Each structure stands twice: as C-alpha cells, then as structure tokens.
C-alpha cells in the first residue's frame, strides 16, 4: 500500500509564521496565504491577518486578545531521509 506524502505548506500556497506576544507566549506555524504577502508592504499584511485570527480565538476563549510583540517567518524544515 502506498504511503501518503504530505506536501509542504509552501506547495499549498501558505507561509508559516512564528508569533511572540507581549506576555511572552509563543504561537508557532500560523498559516497565512501567500497571495497577501510581498509587494511594498512585505510581511505587514501577515501581522494584520494574525491579529484578526487572534481576535477570533480570544473571543471564542472568552479572554482579551493578546498583543503581538514580534512576528517572523518559520524557518523551513528539512525532511529527514527515510530509513532503508
């Protein structure tokens, strides 16, 4: 039986971001569509979209939204070779 190989987020049209909030907490691998990035604004549209995501999450959790301190792209992870 063939094993399913997952495609990378970049192949699916997403960029992953790591977010550090002012309270020191970290959120890894927040997905942002590639279409909204680039151009003159760079990664700034990602901050806006992540703030919107955080507001939705906070509303569902019944807490105030956290403020973003730092935003950076998640480094690409190399796939490990399969053991023979």
């Amino acid at each position: 039986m063939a094993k399913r190989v997952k495609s990378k987020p970049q192949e699916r049209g997403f960029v992953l971001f790591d977010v550090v909030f002012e309270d020191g907490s970290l959120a890894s691998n927040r997905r942002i569509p590639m279409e909204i990035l680039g151009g003159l604004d760079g990664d700034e549209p990602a901050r806006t979209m992540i703030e919107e995501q955080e507001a939705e999450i906070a509303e569902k959790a019944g807490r105030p939204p956290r403020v973003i301190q730092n935003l950076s792209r998640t480094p690409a992870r190399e796939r490990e070779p399969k053991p023979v």
Side-chain angles (χ1 to χ4, degrees):
M1 182 189 276
K3 193 171 188 180
R4 180 177 171 260
V5 178
K6 288 185 177 181
S7 60
K8 294 181 180 179
Q10 294 83 4
E11 295 168 358
R12 294 188 304 253
F14 292 97
V15 177
L16 301 177
F17 283 87
D18 291 334
V19 184
V20 178
F21 296 99
E22 283 188 345
D23 63 359
S25 59
L26 172 70
S28 298
N29 299 332
R30 289 284 184 99
R31 289 183 181 195
I32 303 298
M34 282 184 181
E35 303 90 50
I36 69 163
L37 300 175
L40 298 175
D41 294 332
D43 289 343
E44 196 57 35
R47 178 180 291 272
T48 305
M49 185 170 243
I50 290 173
E51 287 172 346
E52 291 170 4
Q53 290 175 355
E54 180 59 29
E56 289 177 29
I57 292 168
E59 182 181 335
K60 290 178 183 177
R63 61 169 172 76
R66 299 177 289 182
V67 178
I68 296 174
Q69 177 182 4
N70 187 17
L71 180 70
S72 62
R73 289 185 184 222
T74 303
R77 190 175 67 161
E78 296 294 322
R79 292 190 180 188
E80 297 177 12
K82 301 275 182 182
V84 180

